[in-house]
Amino acid sequence: MSRLVVKGGRVIDPSQNIDRAADVAIEDGSVRDIGENIDATGSEVFDASGLIVAPGFIDMHVHLREPGFEHSETIETGSRSAAAGGFTSICCMPNTQPVNDNATVTHFILERARERAVVNVYPIGAITKNSAGEELAAIASMKEAGIVAISDDGKPVMNARVIRRAMEFARSSNLPVIQHCEDLHLSAGGDMHEGIQSTRLGLRGIPRASEDVMVARDILLAELTGARYHVAHISSRNAMQMVAFAKSKGLSVTAEATPHHFALTNNDMPPYDSNYKMKPPLRDESDVGAIVDGLANGTIDAIATDHAPHPGDEKMQEFERCPFGILGFETAIGLALERLYHSGRIGLAHMVSLFTENPARILSLRRGTLKRGAAADLTIFGLEHEWTYDVARSPSKSRNSPFHGHKFRGGQVATIVRGQIVWRLNG
Ligand SMILES: [Zn+2]
């Protein structure tokens, strides 16, 4: 029997309304007990004094690039970067090569994860074949194989009839539908948020409305079909209001925000710096304010990073040519602490729920809790230690982060998956 006792921390588990000084005892990969002065004789001990001990953080929106784009990331390197960011579970989007639109690809991802990943990997299946937006993918067999949601992320499902059928199918299979909300006719050719900055830089803009019209359409279709519907990487203040409206009507509509969308505006982008190029684009102060409000008032349910590795040679091209997306894992907790907790906008237990019980509930994962008998996935983080993000030291294969050199106050200290310490600060 293997035994680990995490001693002397402040345990915050929103799923059980726990926020108090306590020890956590882990036996054979499961949570055994939470209590004071647990006897650690004969056990491995992790000294968590001065630190927060939380259920393992879940990132419900990531790109691991394998199969097909292993020069950008692999399931192994992505999982190591996730662990270094304090995440114990990650949900990978299907836009690989081949696309995860059938059970063979799903099985491959799960098998590779079992062999090489240091955190739990949950695949998300495509909505349509090859994510081409036309014919439904092999959703039922992928569900059998282990997908936890469907999405054509990277692309939206433009055809309203197709997404309606997908929602009906997803409802009967009890899977959430995750939409990348972007009307491609409105965003066509755009590289950044449409506004004064895009005009100044001479870049084509992506209007807020490109996101808004699809969120509006999909909320109406979610009502029509009764599907569980989730808005990926919400970035627009108007889309926020529509999600709030859907919730007020009692629809099963949820949303996630990325750290970069609550931490950065388009004014923070140094001219033509491709490390600030992502979809949806960084928007303006009013949108960032609305995202922070939405995180604080419960309109937004989860923080997800949209970790999107691209290697240097792709991101070094001229701005209009380089791909969208940035790394996300290792700066997520630091940014959440900086913008949500230290700024006084969100209490710590609420912040933890955005990374744990809420994404677990949206995806029906048996994670995100320290209940007795649950898998012993823990995220241990500090509130005050100062550190500087050095992307050159990331276990990721890519380096595309706008936060290189950023100084953080507080962040991840250790990551425990099924009772094993898979990453620790300076470890
Ligand atoms: Zn997306």
Side-chain angles (χ1 to χ4, degrees):
M1 186 179 70
S2 74
R3 201 157 183 274
L4 171 68
V5 179
V6 177
K7 268 209 150 316
R10 174 179 161 194
V11 177
I12 299 182
D13 179 1
S15 76
Q16 305 182 79
N17 279 318
I18 291 175
D19 182 352
R20 62 185 160 92
D23 304 335
V24 180
I26 296 165
E27 261 177 34
D28 292 332
S30 300
V31 176
R32 172 79 188 149
D33 198 11
I34 297 177
E36 275 149 58
N37 303 313
I38 289 176
D39 181 13
T41 317
S43 307
E44 185 185 353
V45 173
F46 185 99
D47 178 7
S49 35
L51 301 173
I52 309 296
V53 177
F57 281 15
I58 299 161
D59 190 342
M60 64 177 295
H61 186 149
V62 321
H63 299 273
L64 297 178
R65 304 300 190 214
E66 185 178 4
F69 306 102
E70 290 84 354
H71 58 293
S72 302
E73 196 75 287
T74 63
I75 290 167
E76 179 178 358
T77 61
S79 80
R80 289 190 183 282
S81 179
F87 291 97
T88 60
S89 294
I90 56 181
C91 307
C92 54
M93 286 298 178
N95 59 337
T96 46
Q97 185 64 254
V99 168
N100 183 18
D101 63 2
N102 65 80
T104 307
V105 181
T106 309
H107 282 304
F108 168 82
I109 292 167
L110 286 168
E111 188 56 36
R112 186 53 57 101
R114 243 188 311 275
E115 290 163 3
R116 304 198 183 163
V118 298
V119 304
N120 309 301
V121 174
Y122 294 99
I124 293 169
I127 297 173
T128 61
K129 280 186 188 159
N130 205 29
S131 288
E134 284 157 22
E135 270 177 274
L136 292 192
I139 298 168
S141 58
M142 287 193 291
K143 161 116 198 207
E144 281 281 311
I147 61 164
V148 295
I150 51 172
S151 179
D152 277 350
D153 184 61
K155 293 178 188 167
V157 178
M158 283 292 289
N159 184 317
R161 186 177 52 82
V162 173
I163 193 69
R164 177 195 175 168
R165 286 192 50 228
M167 284 185 184
E168 285 166 349
F169 198 87
R171 182 172 188 234
S172 59
S173 330
N174 196 25
L175 282 169
V177 178
I178 303 175
Q179 181 81 285
H180 166 119
C181 294
E182 174 186 2
D183 184 302
L184 295 171
H185 301 302
L186 288 169
S187 64
D191 291 307
M192 69 177 293
H193 177 60
E194 183 177 298
I196 295 164
Q197 282 293 33
S198 62
T199 308
R200 198 172 279 158
L201 295 171
L203 293 169
R204 277 181 293 181
I206 300 173
R208 215 179 259 118
S210 136
E211 179 171 330
D212 302 338
V213 295
M214 190 163 282
V215 173
R217 179 199 77 177
D218 284 0
I219 285 171
L220 297 170
L221 293 173
E223 181 174 31
L224 178 67
T225 59
R228 287 156 63 198
Y229 174 74
H230 180 79
V231 181
H233 43 51
I234 196 165
S235 75
S236 147
R237 62 186 189 220
N238 300 333
M240 290 288 311
Q241 290 185 350
M242 284 180 274
V243 170
F245 166 77
K247 289 190 166 184
S248 75
K249 292 188 75 169
L251 305 181
S252 297
V253 170
T254 52
E256 74 194 23
T258 72
H260 47 276
H261 286 115
F262 66 69
L264 297 173
T265 72
N266 59 346
N267 291 316
D268 293 316
M269 180 180 98
Y272 314 107
D273 185 333
S274 64
N275 286 326
Y276 291 73
K277 182 177 177 181
M278 64 284 282
K279 266 190 182 175
L282 299 174
R283 301 207 186 268
D284 73 19
E285 285 79 2
S286 65
D287 299 289
V288 172
I291 301 292
V292 173
D293 289 347
L295 287 160
N297 68 26
T299 304
I300 298 175
D301 304 87
I303 296 173
T305 70
D306 194 9
H307 178 81
H310 292 290
D313 50 338
E314 289 176 18
K315 271 293 203 182
M316 289 289 275
Q317 306 175 79
E318 58 194 301
F319 195 84
E320 290 95 326
R321 293 173 65 95
C322 68
F324 294 88
I326 61 168
L327 303 184
F329 292 132
E330 294 161 53
T331 49
I333 296 179
L335 290 168
L337 288 172
E338 177 183 307
R339 297 305 169 113
L340 306 177
Y341 172 68
H342 290 310
S343 66
R345 293 304 309 276
I346 290 186
L348 217 42
H350 184 180
M351 191 191 105
V352 169
S353 70
L354 293 163
F355 284 108
T356 57
E357 67 162 341
N358 294 1
R361 189 185 57 243
I362 292 166
L363 299 171
S364 311
L365 305 182
R366 294 165 51 116
R367 303 276 163 183
T369 179
L370 295 177
K371 284 188 182 137
R372 192 190 173 111
D377 295 352
L378 279 69
T379 295
I380 299 173
F381 63 101
L383 300 177
E384 298 298 338
H385 66 279
E386 290 185 3
W387 60 285
T388 303
Y389 181 49
D390 179 1
V391 73
R393 297 185 59 194
S394 172
S396 171
K397 280 194 164 186
S398 294
R399 296 288 176 260
N400 50 313
S401 169
F403 301 109
H404 174 62
H406 188 85
K407 287 191 172 52
F408 288 97
R409 175 180 166 204
Q412 59 276 18
V413 171
T415 309
I416 296 175
V417 177
R418 277 170 257 119
Q420 303 292 316
I421 301 171
V422 296
W423 177 85
R424 67 195 298 175
L425 186 61
N426 306 319

